[in-house]
Amino acid sequence: MIRKQLYISEAHERAIKKRARELGISEAELARRLLDRLLLEGDDGDVLALGRAEAALGLFEEA
């Protein structure tokens, strides 16, 4: 695995902590699952269309 760092808002921090706790997984595992859904689970197994990616990000930001 490759280590990455990124800056997130306080709202994202709260949402990630809450959702990871609800699922009983680490925050890192939640981030990997979100990236998988956002980038890898397209109809053809390739990168999602931009519109679907933006919609998914919007839902994540609302959480």
Side-chain angles (χ1 to χ4, degrees), residues 5-17:
Q5 291 180 291
L6 63 142
Y7 291 97
I8 61 174
S9 70
E10 289 181 17
H12 289 151
E13 172 73 357
R14 287 189 301 272
I16 289 170
K17 284 187 178 298

Side-chain angles (χ1 to χ4, degrees), residues 52-63:
R52 289 179 60 196
E54 288 176 347
L57 279 174
L59 289 173
F60 179 68
E61 289 176 359
E62 291 176 13

Side-chain angles (χ1 to χ4, degrees), residues 23-36:
L23 295 172
I25 60 176
S26 69
E27 293 173 35
E29 177 61 20
L30 177 59
R32 284 188 292 271
R33 290 181 186 186
L34 289 168
L35 288 170
D36 283 347

